[in-house]
Amino acid sequence: RVYYACCLKAKPMLMEPVFLVDIQTVEHAMEGISDVVNKHRGIILGEENRPGTPIYNVRAYLPVNESFGFTADLRSSTDGKAFPQCVFDHWQLFPGDPLDEESPAGEQVKKIRIRKGLKPSIPPFENFNDRL
C-alpha cells in the first residue's frame, strides 16, 4: 500500500519506445512519405539524395505503438515506391499525464488496465493513505 501511494504522489509518466525509420524512395513519392509519417505521430529528421541516383533516403522517428500498419499505409500512399526499415532507437515520454483520464497517456493506461482485467480508472491516493 505504501508503494502504491508513493507511485501516485511521484507524478508518474509513461515512456514509449521509438523506432528510427530509414525509408528509401524516389523523388516524386516524398510528399506521400511526409503525410504518412505525420499521421503516425512521427518526426522527419532529414532527407538525403544519393549522388548520381534518383533515390532519396528519408530518416524519421516513429513511436513503436504507431508503427502497426505503417508499412501498408506508406506503400499505398506512395504507390509501392517507398521501402521502410525500422530499428529501435530510444525511449521518449508519452504525451500527457497518465493519471488524467482525458489525456492520451490516461487513455493508454485505461486500455491497458481493461486488457489486464482491472478497473478502468486508477484508484485515487485516498485509498492508500494511512488514516491513523
Side-chain angles (χ1 to χ4, degrees), residues 11-122:
K11 305 234 190 253
M13 297 297 289
L14 290 181
M15 299 289 285
E16 67 179 337
V18 178
F19 280 143
L20 175 63
V21 183
D22 189 22
I23 305 168
Q24 292 184 349
T25 188
V26 291
E27 183 176 1
H28 64 273
M30 296 292 281
E31 185 175 325
I33 290 174
S34 61
D35 292 343
V36 172
V37 169
N38 290 333
K39 176 183 159 193
H40 287 269
R41 287 195 313 126
I43 299 170
I44 294 180
L45 300 175
E47 305 165 352
E48 296 175 0
N49 183 9
R50 286 193 182 174
T53 66
I55 296 175
Y56 279 80
N57 281 350
V58 178
R59 295 177 66 106
Y61 286 141
L62 182 72
V64 172
N65 196 30
E66 301 289 333
S67 68
F68 302 107
F70 174 72
T71 302
D73 287 349
L74 190 63
R75 294 242 170 104
S76 67
S77 177
T78 61
D79 298 326
K81 295 183 175 138
F83 304 97
Q85 292 181 327
C86 299
V87 177
F88 173 77
D89 190 67
H90 66 277
W91 293 85
Q92 73 180 12
L93 286 176
F94 196 88
D97 180 10
L99 299 178
D100 177 17
E101 293 182 8
E102 303 299 319
S103 71
E107 291 173 7
Q108 189 71 24
V109 168
K110 187 175 182 179
K111 288 179 191 174
I112 293 168
R113 290 182 64 85
I114 290 171
R115 187 181 74 224
K116 291 186 172 199
L118 301 171
K119 293 179 185 174
S121 62
I122 296 175

